[in-house]
Amino acid sequence: MADSKNVALVFGASGISGWAVTKCALSYPTPTTFDRVIGLMNRPLPLEESGLPHDPRLELHCGVNLRGNLDEVLCQLQEKIPNLEDVTHVYYLAYSNATAYSIDVIAIRDINEGMTYNAVHAVDRLCKNMKFFVLQTGTNNYGVAVFRFQEHIEINPPLRENNPRIPSPWGDEIFYYAQVEVIKEANKGKSWKWCEVRPDQIIGHVPTPTSMTYVEPLALYLTLYRHVNGPGASVAFPGSYTNYTHTFTASSQDIIARSELYLSVEKPDRAHGEAFNTADNAIPASWALVWPKMCEYFGLRGEGASPEDKGFKDIDKWWFAHQDDYKKMCKEYGLHPREIPEATWTFLSVGFGFLCRNRELSLDKIRSVGFTEEYPVAYGYFQVFERLTHEEIIPSKEDWTEYIA
């Protein structure tokens, strides 16, 4: 294979992060950086339903089960994907939440460690021209979502990549640590390079429904709230007071994707073996800043939380109680109805009920290697809303204006 050719292989291409890397790799860092972009997923996803560009370089393959044993994964990859030896860049964005929201958090760790082991050892054997492997983790590196042991974990933002790991036993459930060790071990004596990328709370959307999202259900809730209560109605923040006031640095799926592509393609030598925080910008924000902006987008007035608000406000119950209104709204605007499964509401309630500590990231390290792209505060949410409008999941602002008139 000529040195100038690059081939990207994306594990988890149907998820919020993997979808964004698959899409962005077709145009970034340049429109011709990759000769092939291979999106890999467990379940079938036809291109016409994927929301991805119709580009002859794009391939989508399903049916590789990373939860099997390594020999099975090797066979499945070889059966599904032609010319695997040409792959140069691998982006590992797969995740299993098979036991999520249960008390068995160690099982989640073990499952994801095993999946990572299978993926990295499979590509190490089969992708003879592999140059770089990217692992995406997140801010739970710093213990922000180890909810059972928060009183034992010290979090002093801005969080930096060289912060020490959360010690055992409190950090035992953080599977990112195990994933990193798996990759370090697999990389010994090899020519390929690797890095770890740590986003904060991810702002994103994929056209196919996923339980790992909070922006789409919020958009649907606010759209229906406006339909039921009218423009200008006040809508309360759905989380606790501490959740409303804590600061964080949200990470939009496209910024995450572009940072991962940048590090692996533009700065492989400087990125090798390193971890990098990534986010829309370095400005510490809070829902006190974002919620009013979000509600304003839908023509509503966002009300803040009060100190008496201790947890999630069960907006799912309001949603289910107004399903007749939702059906009427979809018919009125010609929308494609979406179901919000229980797992998605659980994911939303965890984010708005338990993430209650300041956790903003330092971006000094990724800026030091030249990645300087930024989004303004709340822009990522508006980007998702526009995608939902394009897919006719929520009305456009023009539709609202015409309907009011």
Side-chain angles (χ1 to χ4, degrees):
M1 187 184 75
D3 290 340
S4 61
K5 291 186 178 181
N6 290 316
V7 176
L9 173 63
V10 184
F11 285 93
S14 60
I16 285 176
S17 295
W19 182 87
V21 169
T22 304
K23 176 175 67 70
C24 289
L26 295 167
S27 60
Y28 182 89
T30 76
T32 58
T33 295
F34 292 101
D35 293 87
R36 293 170 66 197
V37 177
I38 305 165
L40 194 60
M41 58 208 73
N42 191 20
R43 298 184 181 89
L45 179 63
L47 179 61
E48 58 271 16
E49 298 176 14
S50 71
L52 293 166
H54 287 254
D55 189 306
R57 296 171 297 158
L58 176 62
E59 306 169 24
L60 298 179
H61 300 279
C62 66
V64 176
N65 180 15
L66 291 175
R67 292 184 62 182
N69 61 52
L70 178 56
D71 287 339
E72 291 171 340
V73 173
L74 287 166
C75 289
Q76 290 167 356
L77 285 169
Q78 290 174 303
E79 290 173 0
K80 300 288 182 181
I81 306 173
N83 303 314
L84 263 173
E85 67 276 5
D86 291 346
V87 169
T88 57
H89 294 73
V90 177
Y91 302 90
Y92 186 78
L93 306 155
Y95 168 69
S96 174
N97 65 336
T99 63
Y101 319 127
S102 76
I103 61 172
D104 196 2
V105 291
I106 299 302
I108 301 173
R109 181 199 67 186
D110 293 344
I111 289 169
N112 283 281
E113 179 184 359
M115 290 170 58
T116 307
Y117 179 93
N118 286 338
V120 71
H121 283 278
V123 296
D124 179 54
R125 292 191 195 181
L126 301 176
C127 304
K128 302 301 184 182
N129 290 286
M130 183 165 66
K131 300 176 183 177
F132 209 98
F133 187 101
V134 174
L135 169 69
Q136 180 176 307
T137 61
T139 42
N140 205 29
N141 271 283
Y142 309 110
V144 301
V146 184
F147 301 125
R148 295 188 301 162
F149 301 120
Q150 286 292 287
E151 70 274 14
H152 299 288
I153 296 173
E154 187 175 345
I155 298 174
N156 295 312
L159 303 173
R160 300 183 184 277
E161 294 87 345
N162 60 359
N163 283 16
R165 288 181 176 180
I166 305 303
S168 180
W170 309 300
D172 289 350
E173 66 188 62
I174 302 175
F175 62 81
Y176 299 151
Y177 301 163
Q179 288 180 302
V180 168
E181 295 309 311
V182 163
I183 294 169
K184 282 183 177 179
E185 186 64 28
N187 182 245
K188 287 181 179 178
K190 306 299 171 61
S191 61
W192 52 269
K193 298 176 174 63
W194 69 278
C195 78
E196 175 193 359
V197 177
R198 302 173 180 174
D200 194 6
Q201 190 167 353
I202 298 176
I203 304 169
H205 167 71
V206 285
T208 53
T210 173
S211 63
M212 300 296 291
T213 180
Y214 67 98
V215 184
E216 181 178 324
L218 277 181
L220 287 168
Y221 167 70
L222 291 173
T223 301
L224 183 58
Y225 196 92
R226 174 196 168 111
H227 182 76
V228 171
N229 296 289
S234 295
V235 55
F237 179 70
S240 66
Y241 179 76
T242 50
N243 183 265
Y244 185 68
T245 56
H246 79 258
T247 53
F248 58 98
T249 40
S251 310
S252 294
Q253 62 186 148
D254 285 4
I255 284 285
I256 301 167
R258 290 164 81 90
S259 66
E260 292 169 347
L261 291 163
Y262 176 87
L263 291 167
S264 59
V265 173
E266 299 290 344
K267 301 292 182 178
D269 293 334
R270 294 185 66 181
H272 177 46
E274 298 290 335
F276 295 88
N277 294 333
T278 189
D280 286 3
N281 55 62
I283 301 171
S286 68
W287 280 109
L289 176 63
V290 174
W291 181 247
K293 291 179 180 290
M294 183 182 290
C295 294
E296 183 181 4
Y297 182 95
F298 291 93
L300 298 167
R301 186 165 63 86
E303 287 187 354
S306 67
E308 292 75 31
D309 294 329
K310 303 301 183 183
F312 185 64
K313 293 190 174 69
D314 296 330
I315 61 174
D316 53 326
K317 294 180 179 177
W318 186 94
W319 168 263
F320 289 123
H322 288 83
Q323 283 303 289
D324 288 343
D325 293 311
Y326 180 57
K327 292 174 184 177
K328 292 175 183 177
M329 184 184 76
C330 288
K331 183 177 180 180
E332 181 71 41
Y333 293 111
L335 304 175
H336 300 302
R338 299 277 273 198
E339 290 188 12
I340 306 176
E342 190 65 34
T344 301
W345 287 117
T346 302
F347 183 74
L348 190 74
S349 67
V350 169
F352 281 89
F354 293 95
L355 288 173
C356 299
R357 296 175 71 177
N358 295 342
R359 64 176 195 277
E360 63 266 20
L361 298 169
S362 166
L363 300 185
D364 291 347
K365 188 172 181 180
I366 199 167
R367 296 290 184 259
S368 73
V369 297
F371 185 78
T372 58
E373 295 190 40
E374 290 190 348
Y375 285 164
V377 172
Y379 173 82
Y381 297 101
F382 303 153
Q383 188 179 53
V384 172
F385 299 156
E386 292 301 320
R387 288 174 178 168
L388 291 169
T389 297
H390 177 74
E391 294 166 20
E392 298 180 326
I393 294 172
I394 64 174
S396 68
K397 289 187 173 183
E398 291 76 15
D399 288 337
W400 276 329
T401 303
E402 292 174 5
Y403 182 69
I404 294 168

